[in-house]
């Protein structure tokens, strides 16, 4: 089997780029995860995974990551991305991502509500929610990205 | 290299949610794969992989999974998702996913035709097709999901 | 952790299919990667990864792959997909993907410009760009795909 991740951190950043993909790439770089091979996952924090804000992951590594992003080429538009993880007392956690044409505060509220719904559905007690979010006013082509990389 | 999966099962389920992502999350839970980290793959059943309907996969595991889904926020709309795997006599199989605004029966027919096309193109004899499908009449925000998780 | 890939190659191909997904499947087959379980990654060439055009990967393998594709069901439409990797002198490389309703030449230019932007942003010297691209005039349902599979 593939090894289950043991560590994680939250990150969010925005950027402009000359194209949609390079705006995304630049946002990844600003979020400190631009030199990795992100593998998108849907989106559970493994049991006993520990927050580690000082993780250094070698370039090119395959990194399971829950993320949301939005790219816009409408100058002046306000865009946001947020990610949240709900921590349970003694079991796995639930990760939610959100992005949209809204403020950072709205994205934070939305993603936190999604985590609460995820815990309600699972009938698990929710101990704590951690959120990372970012907003960006588009100049030419802008991207907001929020991510929870999972690592070892 | 990443280890090649050896087991699989088919699953399909639907759900409502307060948001598009939590509808998806709830459908995953109903399909018994909501507490996993699904990694989406395109979509071959490895040679000698065995059907195991009793697989228990630990929460948070990284699970290569072929899946299709549809989310709708149009009350009254009928949505469906289907997944199918074509089994060959002595080699790998071919997995296809389909989702759309149609009935379960239509989704099943469509996805089975896709598997037959996949075998014709590969000039391989098709021994059997297994299908899992689900339909759902949207109340507020609904999701149909069909998946083939691959495991070890 | 997941093992970091050590080899790669570039490939691009097009195909028609009876449905959108089987057009994609047929393009994968024409690109010699149709019998694999592609895991999409965002998109760094690991340090010291070597080009190997003769890689033979067993069917059903989980293969981290950077790819771009486009499917069209508009008869007569010209579609293209391109992938490029920028090689650095002594470190990791940067992979970009592009697809659109344009010629192969335009796709090649666009994706190469994206790689140059990726190197500028990282302030790294760019040694060489390798590109694979394909164009296709849609008959009924057509797909163009360009990919860089990463392997071991």
């Amino acid at each position: 089997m593939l090894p289950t991740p043991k560590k994680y951190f939250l990150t969010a950043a925005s950027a402009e780029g000359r194209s949609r993909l390079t705006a995304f790439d630049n946002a990844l770089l600003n979020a400190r995860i631009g030199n990795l091979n992100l593998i998108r996952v849907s989106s559970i924090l493994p049991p006993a995974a520990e927050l580690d804000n000082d993780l250094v992951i070698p370039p090119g590594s395959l990194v399971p990551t829950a993320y949301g992003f939005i790219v816009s080429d409408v100058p002046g538009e306000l865009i946001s991305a947020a990610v949240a993880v709900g921590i349970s007392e003694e079991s796995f956690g639930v990760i939610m991502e959100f992005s949209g044409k809204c403020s950072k505060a709205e994205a934070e509220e939305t993603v936190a509500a999604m985590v609460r719904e995820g815990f309600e559905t699972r009938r698990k007690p929710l101990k704590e929610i951690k959120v990372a979010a970012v907003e960006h006013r588009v100049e030419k082509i802008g991207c907001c990205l929020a991510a929870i990389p999972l690592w070892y």
Side-chain angles (χ1 to χ4, degrees), chain A residues 36-39 57-65 150-152:
Chain A
L36 306 176
N37 276 311
L38 304 186
I39 295 179
I57 305 178
S61 297
L62 300 174
V63 183
T65 304
L150 305 175
W151 194 238
Y152 299 92

Side-chain angles (χ1 to χ4, degrees), chain A residues 16-96:
Chain A
E16 293 279 314
R18 282 178 226 148
S19 70
R20 299 178 72 88
L21 181 56
T22 51
F24 176 68
D25 183 46
N26 292 340
L28 289 175
L29 284 168
N30 288 344
R32 298 188 301 125
I33 53 176
N35 294 327
L36 306 176
N37 276 311
L38 304 186
I39 295 179
R40 201 169 192 174
V41 296
S42 79
S43 22
I44 293 296
L45 185 71
E50 287 181 6
L51 180 66
D52 184 346
N53 286 311
D54 301 318
L55 269 178
V56 177
I57 305 178
S61 297
L62 300 174
V63 183
T65 304
Y67 62 91
F69 70 97
I70 181 171
V71 179
S72 166
D73 55 8
V74 179
E77 194 162 63
L78 184 66
I79 56 175
S80 291
V83 70
V85 57
I87 313 285
S88 69
E89 196 63 58
E90 81 299 300
S91 171
F92 62 88
V94 176
I95 299 171
M96 294 284 174

Side-chain angles (χ1 to χ4, degrees), chain A residues 104-119:
Chain A
K104 178 183 171 183
E106 285 176 280
E108 286 171 333
E109 279 172 39
T110 303
V111 81
M114 289 160 70
V115 166
R116 284 192 295 271
E117 182 182 346
F119 272 75

